[in-house]
Amino acid sequence: MHPILSNRSQLALYLLAWLPIGLVLVWRSSRFVNFAHGQIGVLGSVVLGGLALDVHLPYLVGLVVALAFGGGFAALLERAFIQKLFNAPRLVLLIASIGIAQTAFGLGNYRFGNAWWQKSPFLLYLGDRKFPVPFH
């Protein structure tokens, strides 16, 4: 087995290193800070958790679906907002990315089913467990 894969925490750190690399690539290519970058990844992970814990899909199937969802969601946002605002001042793109991040946060907390409106927006529900979100 490869030494990197022998320790899960080291693997998680190597995978987390891709987040700042993506931020730098967005900055270098378009010269604006995309605040929605991390939240889109969180939305994909919430989809994965929901598929694995709520729908009881196998993990690898849920992973493929969550990656496809995250890529499709990012491509949709790129097409719908970023390309149309690309020639606007950079501050407009920055504020649009904040709005996109808040929308992605709301989608991550949205649940279908009975009495979804009675659930707290400050708790993430996965399966039978509740996880507090930041700023609770």
Side-chain angles (χ1 to χ4, degrees):
M1 184 180 270
H2 197 274
I4 292 175
L5 298 177
S6 65
N7 190 348
R8 289 182 186 171
S9 62
Q10 283 182 344
L11 177 64
L13 288 175
Y14 287 121
L15 292 176
L16 283 175
W18 287 102
L19 184 65
I21 290 172
L23 283 172
V24 169
L25 287 174
V26 168
W27 169 257
R28 298 285 295 187
S29 66
S30 57
R31 293 288 184 206
F32 84 98
V33 179
N34 185 3
F35 283 111
H37 182 80
Q39 193 63 39
I40 291 171
V42 168
L43 183 59
S45 65
V46 167
V47 168
L48 173 61
L51 290 174
L53 296 174
D54 293 339
V55 183
H56 303 291
L57 274 174
Y59 179 77
L60 290 176
V61 174
L63 180 65
V64 170
V65 171
L67 287 173
F69 173 80
F73 186 67
L76 175 74
L77 293 175
E78 171 76 19
R79 194 68 119 154
F81 298 106
I82 304 302
Q83 286 182 358
K84 291 180 181 178
L85 297 173
F86 192 74
N87 292 328
R90 299 295 103 178
L91 182 62
V92 172
L93 274 172
L94 180 110
I95 292 171
S97 74
I98 293 172
I100 291 168
Q102 292 300 313
T103 303
F105 177 77
L107 287 174
N109 283 331
Y110 188 74
R111 288 283 180 248
F112 297 100
N114 296 333
W116 59 266
W117 61 87
Q118 294 175 355
K119 294 185 178 181
S120 171
F122 300 106
L123 291 174
L124 175 63
Y125 296 90
L126 291 173
D128 296 333
R129 292 175 234 139
K130 295 182 244 181
F131 301 98
V133 295
F135 310 115
H136 177 66

